[in-house]
Amino acid sequence: MDIAEYKKIVVALRPTLISIAKRITNNTEDAEDVAQDVCLKIWHRREEFVQYENVEAYCVAMTKNLSIDKIRCRHSVSDEKEICGKADEQRLPDELLEEKDTNAAIRRIIANLPPLQQRILQLKDLEGYETEEIAEITGIAAEAVRNNLSRARKRLREIYLAYHHHKEKKL
């Protein structure tokens, strides 16, 4: 698939993909993200699409799957907050404040990782997907998933330890 064929097929489908994703996610930003992910995955795997007779159907199926993944992501975060909320009732306010600061620092660190590493870290550590599932979702090889996950965890650990060390020095 060359650039002209990509534009003719996939870029022309983008409004349809956004519409499908929006119906599933009920969120415009998530729908845009899903459509963007689909377009990128198709572009990165464009050589494989010679074998498919109906690229449109493949794009629609991928859009539905990624939209469902977005919904799962939202539910796992709200479930986590609910579980944490129940445990919070039994802890002291200073412990809660310290944990809140730590969680905020970790979120900031993750937000500064490269987008692919952010996504892989989220899928593996927060949502519990297996490496092969992540490879399928992201459209990259399983070995690349493992490498990116390792780099993301290493970078997260390094920055967090530096943050924690700096924080202790202040005290």
Side-chain angles (χ1 to χ4, degrees):
M1 177 183 295
D2 62 0
I3 189 76
E5 190 177 4
Y6 175 82
K7 285 181 180 179
K8 180 182 171 189
I9 297 171
V10 180
V11 174
L13 275 175
R14 196 168 190 283
T16 304
L17 301 178
I18 291 171
S19 175
I20 292 167
K22 189 173 181 180
R23 272 187 262 136
I24 295 170
T25 63
N26 290 324
N27 185 300
T28 304
E29 289 86 19
D30 285 347
E32 291 280 344
D33 289 346
V34 167
Q36 182 71 26
D37 287 348
V38 170
C39 290
L40 283 172
K41 286 179 184 188
I42 298 297
W43 176 251
H44 290 294
R45 296 166 57 188
R46 64 189 173 274
E47 299 304 319
E48 297 174 26
F49 285 95
V50 175
Q51 68 188 8
Y52 297 114
E53 290 181 29
N54 192 342
V55 176
E56 181 178 351
Y58 190 85
C59 290
V60 169
M62 191 184 301
T63 301
K64 288 179 181 178
N65 291 336
L66 290 174
S67 296
I68 292 168
D69 289 344
K70 281 280 187 190
I71 293 170
R72 283 183 187 153
C73 176
R74 285 194 304 230
H75 289 310
S76 67
V77 171
S78 63
D79 292 345
E80 181 182 313
K81 287 179 182 177
E82 183 180 318
I83 290 168
C84 290
K86 291 179 182 175
D88 289 350
E89 296 171 1
Q90 303 165 357
R91 299 191 357 218
L92 297 174
D94 60 333
E95 291 174 336
L96 295 174
L97 183 60
E98 186 174 327
E99 184 176 328
K100 184 178 179 182
D101 288 344
T102 300
N103 289 341
I106 290 171
R107 277 199 275 325
R108 281 193 306 271
I109 294 167
I110 291 172
N112 287 316
L113 292 173
L116 181 61
Q117 289 181 5
Q118 286 179 33
R119 180 81 170 130
I120 291 172
L121 192 66
Q122 176 185 357
L123 289 169
K124 182 71 173 176
D125 292 341
L126 297 178
E127 297 178 31
Y129 282 94
E130 295 298 322
T131 304
E132 290 74 26
E133 293 173 312
I134 297 170
E136 188 177 312
I137 291 168
T138 59
I140 62 174
E143 187 61 31
V145 169
R146 285 189 281 278
N147 287 336
N148 277 290
L149 182 61
S150 176
R151 287 185 196 123
R153 287 175 175 165
K154 182 179 179 185
R155 188 71 180 139
L156 177 63
R157 187 178 319 108
E158 289 171 351
I159 295 172
Y160 178 74
L161 288 174
Y163 163 79
H164 190 65
H165 179 71
H166 178 72
K167 187 176 168 184
E168 285 182 348
K169 262 185 154 179
K170 283 184 169 181
L171 298 175

